[in-house]
Amino acid sequence: MSKEGVQLAIKKIAEDLLALAAVILEDDTISVNNKVGRNTLRDSALRGDLETKISQVNGNDPVIKALFNHYVVFLEWTRPPKYKKKPPISVLKDWASKNGIPTDADTLWAISYAIWRDGHKGRPIFATIDRELDGLFFDDWAGRLYGAIVDNLDNFFNKW
């Protein structure tokens, strides 16, 4: 496979990864917040800030990274009721504002307290991405990569 072909394949895989992450955040079976009964990730800042980054390790092996906002770990994690400290109200302000919820201290404190008191069920974002990526690899990418390698070998041996 030519260097340009490899770069195109890597770029396609990165694009597929980004599209897959967006689809998962829109999937109600994964992204519904059980407390409010609706998908709160569909139009979230988490979805809007998704990106991929391609880098080279030792100048050879490509690495594709999916970049998420830092708070995705809190969405993934099932927080037990009354776990440690309440979330700081400062981290809730932007979220409340975006969702039309008053941002006064009393309201934000009540939300923080409810999160602490009730906990919340995690949403399997990364587990779903991992499972779906396996499917994409075996159903799509592996065949394309194999075809490109075989074509490259055919071209090499047909020169003789």
Side-chain angles (χ1 to χ4, degrees):
M1 180 184 292
S2 69
K3 189 171 186 167
E4 295 79 24
V6 170
Q7 294 301 322
L8 286 173
I10 293 167
K11 186 176 178 186
K12 171 68 171 128
I13 291 170
E15 289 169 358
D16 286 355
L17 173 58
L18 196 60
L20 175 63
V23 165
I24 288 169
L25 294 178
E26 291 189 18
D27 185 340
D28 290 344
T29 64
I30 299 160
S31 298
V32 165
N33 179 333
N34 288 340
K35 281 189 166 190
V36 298
R38 67 180 176 85
N39 183 340
T40 57
L41 301 180
R42 179 174 287 119
D43 298 317
S44 67
L46 181 66
R47 186 179 187 285
D49 292 340
L50 286 174
E51 63 180 275
T52 56
K53 183 177 182 180
I54 301 170
S55 58
Q56 299 290 120
V57 175
N58 299 328
N60 296 321
D61 300 329
V63 175
I64 302 169
K65 296 177 185 177
L67 305 174
F68 291 81
N69 279 328
H70 69 284
Y71 61 85
V72 70
V73 295
F74 297 110
L75 297 171
E76 281 260 314
W77 173 56
T78 296
R79 182 188 178 115
K82 299 182 180 174
Y83 181 79
K84 295 188 178 182
K85 297 180 179 182
K86 294 183 287 295
I89 63 173
S90 60
V91 302
L92 300 171
K93 189 173 184 174
D94 288 343
W95 169 82
S97 178
K98 180 185 177 295
N99 287 285
I101 299 169
T103 58
D104 60 278
D106 289 339
T107 302
L108 293 177
W109 184 88
I111 293 168
S112 174
Y113 181 78
I115 292 170
W116 173 80
R117 179 193 64 215
D118 302 336
H120 61 78
K121 187 174 188 287
R123 296 178 255 182
I125 299 164
F126 290 136
T128 306
I129 288 173
D130 184 47
R131 184 183 67 243
E132 295 297 322
L133 280 178
D134 285 348
L136 274 174
F137 180 80
F138 291 111
D139 295 341
D140 186 19
W141 301 335
R144 289 181 190 205
L145 291 171
Y146 176 79
I149 291 167
V150 169
D151 286 347
N152 205 26
L153 287 173
D154 282 346
N155 291 337
F156 176 78
F157 285 112
N158 286 332
K159 288 181 183 179
W160 293 25

